[in-house]
Amino acid sequence: MKTDYSTKCKSKRKKARLFFVMWVPLFFIFGLGSCNNEGDTPTTPVPADGNKATAITSFTPDSGGIATPMIIVGDNFGTDTAKIKVYFKSGNDSIQASIIHSNGSRIYLVVPKLTYLENLEVIVKVTADNQNVRVNKFTNHFKYKTQTTVTTVAGTMFPDVSVALSRGGTLSTASFSCPMFLCVDAEKNVIIVERLFDKVPPEMDVRPLRPRSESGTNMNGDFLMLNEANNSVVFMKNAGMVINAPTVSPDGFAIYVPTDAGADYFQMLRSENYAPRQKRIKITSENSSITNKNWKFSFVTNPENGLIYTVMYNKQLVLIDPATNLITVLCQDIGTNTGSDSYLAFNPKESNILYVSVTNRHSIYRIDLNVDPLSIHAEPYAGAACQNLTGTDARGWADGLLADAKFNYPRQITFDEQGVMYIADCVNHCIRTIDTKINKSEATVKTLVGFPGDKGNVDGGPDIAKFNYPMGIAKAFDGTIYIADTRNYSIRKLAVQ
């Protein structure tokens, strides 16, 4: 997808102005253009003196967010920035900062994106002229401030579900009748799935939602594609059947969408302009009954091999090879204790570890695919299943330790590159998070944005933003997070920095 040239130019000019306002005054404060005593001729950058110790004294400010200008004060850093590295560290994660300048006693840098890594060690690594490496670590920590903002990308709030229409157009004119699930390809096309929403839990004060085309015809399921850069929403196809949560291939150029029942699914390839093509899973004689009174609610591709996984309503863990359409039942009963719709995501920080949101169990499970196939099972990870709660005791809202947390019909989940899970907690009208890098006994569920039980349609930061039964959530390859805000008939965007 191409971006308008004038838009790019405006963006570059804006960034250039921001650079000048933020940084140029600070450059002059401590001599960005370090000159020798002969006048204006710049000195050649030199590394630290190998015969002298490197010392650190202080850093300022002690807190901030992404791109915050920061100064580290000390001695014998050298002026060769290629020989200086500054890291922000939390646990096993170290993120390197961009260094702008050093005059030998001060290092000027900008804080990198450090989402959710709140209290961080600041480490200075200097390579001297004799190639000796000095590592200095501050005893005090830097407090990172995550900035969260929700904006509406496209969609129109309808006063009555009976008039909600799926219609393409620009971002400001397009509309959705029942946006439920989504995924994002390598070119930042957002694939939106609308489906007949007939299984409405009592806690949802909505009637069943059915996608409707611009002609007013009732549909079982629709495919739409949104692209912000092109300012467009395209109505692609009516599926003619109920469709569910899609997934994208590891390279970002293939989309796979499960049908609710039966052995069918849809494949959408970039090489075919993402035209939805109906495919059929090849079921063997030993798995002949796999689709009987059974449903597949979401697909996910394994980033390591591109194979498709799904957990079906009757609790089978199934593997599908999209190249051959052959199916393998990895586990006949994954152990989630209830028939439910389930939504899956692989954790980029853990090899072959699958996380599953089990909606009717109000819980998140974890599946280790590295074990012997006969030992594969779903381990309760967060929510009601950790305490074996059922019925009305299982659902609700509570932040805190994983075992104590409560969800209310959680649906689609996704991960960022740092291993933070984002959960569309539907009936709580919230987006929740779990940092899975933290030990299970210490990790917590946090409400990132939204107000438990308080639905609405408000953009902004975590102190004001509201949702109305968000069901879908997906991360783009560049880290942008999109949300299908179902009852607001809109696609929202979550910026976390």
Side-chain angles (χ1 to χ4, degrees), residues 23-257:
W23 293 350
V24 170
L26 285 170
F27 291 171
F28 282 104
I29 288 175
F30 63 94
L32 173 62
S34 297
C35 301
N36 62 17
N37 294 331
E38 300 298 322
D40 341 350
T41 307
T43 58
T44 301
V46 295
D49 184 349
N51 296 314
K52 184 179 176 183
T54 295
I56 55 175
T57 305
S58 64
F59 63 81
T60 186
D62 61 3
S63 64
I66 184 173
T68 297
M70 182 174 176
I71 296 174
I72 294 177
V73 180
D75 187 46
N76 194 32
F77 296 136
T79 60
D80 186 353
T81 56
K83 303 289 186 181
I84 304 169
K85 299 185 187 304
V86 175
Y87 298 93
F88 291 80
K89 187 173 186 297
S90 175
N92 295 322
D93 287 319
S94 292
I95 299 176
Q96 188 173 344
S98 297
I99 296 175
I100 306 303
H101 174 68
S102 171
N103 68 358
S105 60
R106 289 187 179 92
I107 301 169
Y108 178 56
L109 61 138
V110 290
V111 175
K113 183 177 180 179
L114 302 162
T115 313
Y116 295 114
L117 304 179
E118 294 178 349
N119 294 303
L120 300 113
E121 295 178 316
V122 181
I123 300 170
V124 180
K125 183 177 178 181
V126 175
T127 302
D129 54 12
N130 60 2
Q131 302 307 309
N132 285 340
V133 178
R134 287 82 177 273
V135 179
N136 296 78
K137 180 169 65 175
F138 284 97
T139 55
N140 52 321
H141 287 64
F142 181 83
K143 183 173 180 58
Y144 187 81
K145 297 179 178 178
T146 300
Q147 303 166 26
T148 305
T149 306
V150 176
T151 55
T152 298
V153 179
T156 300
M157 183 66 185
F158 292 97
D160 186 340
V161 67
S162 66
V163 300
L165 299 177
S166 301
R167 179 175 54 201
T170 64
L171 297 179
S172 61
T173 62
S175 60
F176 308 96
S177 62
C178 190
M180 287 188 64
F181 307 116
L182 40 76
C183 68
V184 190
D185 77 350
E187 297 175 323
K188 215 170 179 180
N189 294 304
V190 183
I191 308 300
I192 302 158
V193 167
E194 301 193 306
R195 57 152 285 177
L196 170 66
F197 184 27
D198 55 347
K199 297 178 181 177
V200 183
E203 294 72 21
M204 295 184 67
D205 57 343
V206 297
R207 295 179 306 181
L209 304 179
R210 181 186 293 272
R212 293 162 56 89
S213 71
E214 191 168 3
S215 66
T217 305
N218 286 335
M219 305 288 194
N220 282 331
D222 294 330
F223 297 96
L224 296 98
M225 178 185 287
L226 179 153
N227 187 281
E228 284 193 87
N230 282 356
N231 187 29
S232 69
V233 176
V234 177
F235 184 95
M236 303 180 70
K237 180 184 175 68
N238 170 246
M241 58 184 73
V242 177
I243 49 180
N244 281 317
T247 189
V248 63
S249 61
D251 65 3
F253 294 123
I255 307 294
Y256 306 105
V257 186

Side-chain angles (χ1 to χ4, degrees), residues 212-440:
R212 293 162 56 89
S213 71
E214 191 168 3
S215 66
T217 305
N218 286 335
M219 305 288 194
N220 282 331
D222 294 330
F223 297 96
L224 296 98
M225 178 185 287
L226 179 153
N227 187 281
E228 284 193 87
N230 282 356
N231 187 29
S232 69
V233 176
V234 177
F235 184 95
M236 303 180 70
K237 180 184 175 68
N238 170 246
M241 58 184 73
V242 177
I243 49 180
N244 281 317
T247 189
V248 63
S249 61
D251 65 3
F253 294 123
I255 307 294
Y256 306 105
V257 186
T259 59
D260 196 51
D264 297 299
Y265 72 97
F266 284 87
Q267 175 182 274
M268 304 164 66
L269 303 179
R270 178 181 181 272
S271 59
E272 298 178 353
N273 295 319
Y274 293 111
R277 308 290 188 191
Q278 194 168 340
K279 301 289 183 179
R280 180 170 284 269
I281 299 166
K282 294 178 181 178
I283 298 176
T284 59
S285 57
E286 60 267 27
N287 298 321
S288 59
S289 63
I290 189 69
T291 59
N292 292 345
K293 296 182 179 179
N294 210 2
W295 300 270
K296 44 195 185 300
F297 290 91
S298 74
F299 277 172
V300 65
T301 51
N302 190 327
E304 298 188 12
N305 55 30
L307 298 177
I308 301 169
Y309 290 77
T310 186
V311 172
M312 303 188 73
Y313 180 83
N314 291 330
K315 299 174 286 185
Q316 298 94 344
L317 175 62
V318 171
L319 174 67
I320 302 166
D321 185 343
T324 63
N325 291 323
L326 289 174
I327 182 174
T328 303
V329 178
L330 299 177
C331 182
Q332 288 289 348
D333 185 347
I334 203 66
T336 52
N337 301 326
T338 184
S340 175
D341 48 333
S342 299
Y343 304 92
L344 299 83
F346 276 97
N347 188 347
K349 287 292 187 179
E350 298 177 283
S351 176
N352 282 314
I353 301 296
L354 184 61
Y355 286 81
V356 186
S357 165
V358 181
T359 300
N360 294 347
R361 194 76 168 96
H362 312 285
S363 300
I364 308 297
Y365 286 78
R366 182 181 183 274
I367 301 174
D368 186 351
L369 299 175
N370 297 299
V371 302
D372 183 284
L374 296 176
S375 301
I376 291 176
H377 72 284
E379 171 194 358
Y381 183 72
C386 294
Q387 297 186 40
N388 202 29
L389 299 175
T390 59
T392 56
D393 292 335
R395 61 177 180 263
W397 176 89
D399 279 348
L401 294 173
L402 301 183
D404 299 327
K406 283 191 173 183
F407 301 95
N408 205 345
Y409 293 94
R411 282 188 161 81
Q412 206 172 4
I413 60 177
T414 193
F415 278 92
D416 69 14
E417 292 305 314
Q418 296 178 17
V420 175
M421 182 195 306
Y422 295 76
I423 305 153
D425 194 4
C426 175
V427 183
N428 275 326
H429 314 292
C430 294
I431 304 302
R432 316 281 292 279
T433 61
I434 302 172
D435 188 346
T436 59
K437 299 187 305 300
I438 300 174
N439 185 279
K440 182 181 175 182

